[in-house]
Every structure is written in C-alpha cells, then in structure tokens.
Amino acid sequence: MTPPTAIDPRIEALVTDLIGRVADKWTMLVLEVLAERGTLRFSRLAEAVGGVSQKMLTQTLRAMERDGLVDRTVYAVVPPKVEYTLTSLGFTLGAAFCGVWVWAGENLSRVEEARSAFDRRD
C-alpha cells in the first residue's frame, strides 16, 4: 500500500495521536484485557492489567473514552459502580494492531539473533 501524496491534515493529526496512544503500553493492555474479558469494573480491570497505578489507569481510560475506544457506565448505587466496555471502534483498533503480534511471531528468532549480535559487540 502506498500512502496518498496529498494527506488530509486532520487524518495526519489523528494518526499521530493514535500512534502515541497505542504506543502507550497501558492503552494496549487495556484494549487486550477488555477484548478478552468484556465489561469490567475499574478494580477488576486494574487487577487484570497488573502493575498500573490507579492514577495511570484513570488517565488511560479517560483518554480512551475521549477517543471513543471505551464506554464508561456509572451506576447510581452505594458504593459507586463504574464499568468499562470496549466499543466497536476499540475492537477495530485492537484488530489493526494484531499484525504486530503476527509479525513478532514470525520474526522472533531474527530479532533475538540481532539483539544477541548487538550485545556481543564492544
């Protein structure tokens, strides 16, 4: 595929934003967990992601909600109940990056060899 010569600046900005978002490991982990497990409460999502602080998970989920990747549902109960669900847009973004997993599987030994060769250099 060849990109068009004249790129809409709005599309270019969106691609830049999305690359930054998915390059963030927490976004990718949240996408993966919600795709596998479905709707989750904040605390269950934090447990499933593992190693993420409450502040970072909150920031990640807010950014993902703003981009339309997750839906946040708040229930008026005590204690408060908040659930997160991957949107169809979120599923498509996750699917778009499945190619990275395929590439990694196909090229693991080559990358490991290159890293070993690099590490052996002076």
Side-chain angles (χ1 to χ4, degrees):
M1 262 198 260
T2 306
T5 55
I7 298 174
D8 183 332
R10 295 172 305 145
I11 294 173
E12 184 176 8
L14 178 59
V15 168
T16 301
D17 287 347
L18 289 174
I19 288 172
R21 176 97 51 247
V22 297
D24 168 55
K25 76 175 184 177
W26 300 122
T27 298
M28 292 308 296
L29 291 172
V30 168
L31 276 172
E32 183 180 341
V33 167
L34 290 176
E36 288 177 3
R37 300 188 186 187
T39 301
L40 290 174
R41 292 179 72 165
F42 184 90
S43 57
R44 297 295 164 252
L45 183 55
E47 290 170 4
V49 169
V52 65
S53 69
Q54 182 175 350
K55 178 183 177 183
M56 184 53 66
L57 183 58
T58 298
Q59 289 175 348
T60 299
L61 288 167
R62 283 185 183 155
M64 292 176 74
E65 184 180 9
R66 182 174 184 262
D67 287 340
L69 305 175
V70 296
D71 280 330
R72 178 178 183 259
T73 305
V74 180
Y75 297 92
V77 295
V78 177
K81 178 180 174 183
V82 180
E83 292 182 333
Y84 294 90
T85 305
L86 203 58
T87 64
S88 60
L89 188 60
F91 274 110
T92 61
L93 180 61
F97 283 89
C98 275
V100 174
W101 287 91
V102 172
W103 182 90
E106 292 173 352
N107 294 287
L108 175 63
S109 62
R110 293 175 64 193
V111 171
E112 289 176 337
E113 288 170 17
R115 287 178 176 176
S116 292
F118 181 89
D119 293 343
R120 286 192 301 270
R121 294 189 323 199
D122 291 329

